[in-house]
Amino acid sequence: MVRLLVFTDLDGTLLDHATYSYEQAKPALQALRDLDVPLVLASSKTGAEIARLHDELKLGDSPAIVENGAGIYMPGGPASGDRSDYLKIRQALTDLPRALSQPFKGFGDMSDEGVAEATGLPLEQARLARMRCHSEPGLWSGTDADLTRFLDALQAQGIVARRGGRFLTLSFGRTKADAMKDIADRLQADMTVALGDAPNDAEMLAAADRGVVVRNDHAPPMPEFAGEATGRIRRTTLPGPAGWNAAILDLIENLGRTREETNHG
C-alpha cells in the first residue's frame, strides 16, 4: 500500500474564502479518514489558532504546519509550543537602531485589540494569533529605501521577510515546503499531495509529488508551474472546499484504479 500524505492550505482552499466553512469538503474528508490517510493542515495560523480546527476535523495525531512553515504543531503538546525562535526575532528587533525598527509594528507591539483591528479577526482569534512561536508579522510604514536597510540589518542575523497581503512577516526562512519534507520524512510517506490557492503555497505545491491549485478568485493569481504540462500539478474548476473535495475524490479514485491495474497486470 502506498503511504499517502495530504497537505492542505486552509483559507480559500479547505475553508471557504468568505464563510470559513469546510462543509463542501466533508465527503472527501471522510474518504481520507476511511482510508486512514493523514491530513496535514498547512497554514499561516499559529499552533494556538489551529488546535481547535485540528480537533474539530478529528485529525488525531497528524502534525500541522503553522506560521507558513516556520513551525510544526504537534497535537497533544502545548498549543503555544517552543517560543525560542520568536523571542530571538523580537530581541533582534529590539537591538536594531530605533531609526531602523520604528516603521515596523509587529504583533508583539500590538494589543489583542490592535491585532483584531489590523487583521479583521474577532478578538479571541486575535489573541490566539498573537501566541506566536516562530515568526512575527507586522505592518511596515516606512519607505522602500528604509525597508531595504531594515531587511539587510535583519538578514545579518539570519532573519528574512516575506510579504503577504498587508503584512510583512519575519522568520528564519523556513517555508511550507521545508516543513512538508520534514513531516513526510518522519512519517515515511511514499507520496505527498499538496493543495493550495495562493502564492505562499507555491513552494509546497511545486515540492509535492502531486499538487493541486485550488481556484480562488479573491487571491492573487498563481504562477504557472512546470508540473502542469505533465499533469503532476492540476487546477480545480470549482473554488475553495468544493474544488478541494472534487480534487481529493478524483485522486483517491485514480489511485484506486492504478492499484487495481497493477494487481491485475
Side-chain angles (χ1 to χ4, degrees):
M1 293 287 288
V2 172
R3 176 62 167 169
L4 175 66
L5 284 183
V6 176
F7 295 79
T8 183
D9 176 57
L10 292 180
D11 298 350
T13 301
L14 176 59
L15 305 181
D16 183 83
H17 170 80
T19 66
Y20 301 105
S21 169
Y22 56 84
E23 182 69 28
Q24 292 175 302
K26 281 185 174 179
L29 288 167
Q30 186 59 53
L32 292 177
R33 287 191 206 100
D34 292 344
L35 293 170
D36 197 26
V37 173
L39 177 63
V40 179
L41 307 181
S43 173
S44 61
K45 298 181 188 300
T46 64
E49 288 178 279
I50 219 166
R52 187 177 302 167
L53 179 63
H54 191 283
D55 289 344
E56 191 176 316
L57 290 171
K58 299 180 175 62
L59 299 183
D61 59 359
S62 292
I65 297 169
V66 297
E67 299 185 41
N68 270 330
I72 295 174
Y73 163 73
M74 299 302 297
S80 58
D82 179 0
R83 304 188 75 224
S84 57
D85 281 351
Y86 180 70
L87 295 176
K88 288 176 186 174
I89 293 169
R90 291 298 308 175
Q91 187 61 52
L93 289 169
T94 299
D95 292 343
L96 287 179
R98 178 66 176 160
L100 279 181
S101 63
Q102 191 274 333
F104 180 80
K105 187 175 184 180
F107 279 20
D109 302 310
M110 304 180 197
S111 63
D112 294 350
E113 291 80 5
V115 170
E117 182 178 350
T119 61
L121 291 171
L123 188 58
E124 173 60 14
Q125 286 297 108
R127 183 183 71 81
L128 298 177
R130 291 185 67 239
M131 295 175 65
R132 312 202 66 81
C133 296
H134 312 283
S135 64
E136 175 70 321
L139 298 170
W140 179 260
S141 60
T143 66
D144 289 345
D146 290 338
L147 178 60
T148 297
R149 288 189 287 271
F150 174 72
L151 296 182
D152 285 347
L154 291 175
Q155 179 71 58
Q157 300 186 59
I159 298 169
V160 299
R162 296 189 72 162
R163 276 206 177 276
R166 297 176 58 207
F167 294 99
L168 183 73
T169 299
L170 309 179
S171 74
F172 286 100
R174 281 177 55 84
T175 67
K176 288 182 178 181
D178 295 322
M180 180 177 72
K181 183 181 185 306
D182 288 348
I183 292 171
D185 289 347
R186 185 186 307 169
L187 299 183
Q188 299 180 312
D190 298 314
M191 178 184 289
T192 55
V193 176
L195 303 95
D197 70 299
N200 69 342
D201 301 314
E203 291 153 323
M204 181 174 73
L205 298 181
D209 295 312
R210 297 195 185 182
V212 178
V213 180
V214 176
R215 177 179 157 192
N216 184 347
D217 298 332
H218 305 278
M222 289 287 272
E224 186 169 343
F225 294 89
E228 290 187 66
T230 62
R232 185 178 68 80
I233 295 179
R234 300 183 178 184
R235 295 177 185 253
T236 69
T237 54
L238 295 171
W244 193 95
N245 186 71
I248 291 293
L249 293 179
D250 182 63
L251 171 74
I252 290 171
E253 181 181 350
N254 287 337
L255 287 177
R257 188 181 304 122
T258 299
R259 190 177 298 121
E260 286 181 10
E261 290 171 355
T262 301
N263 290 339
H264 291 93

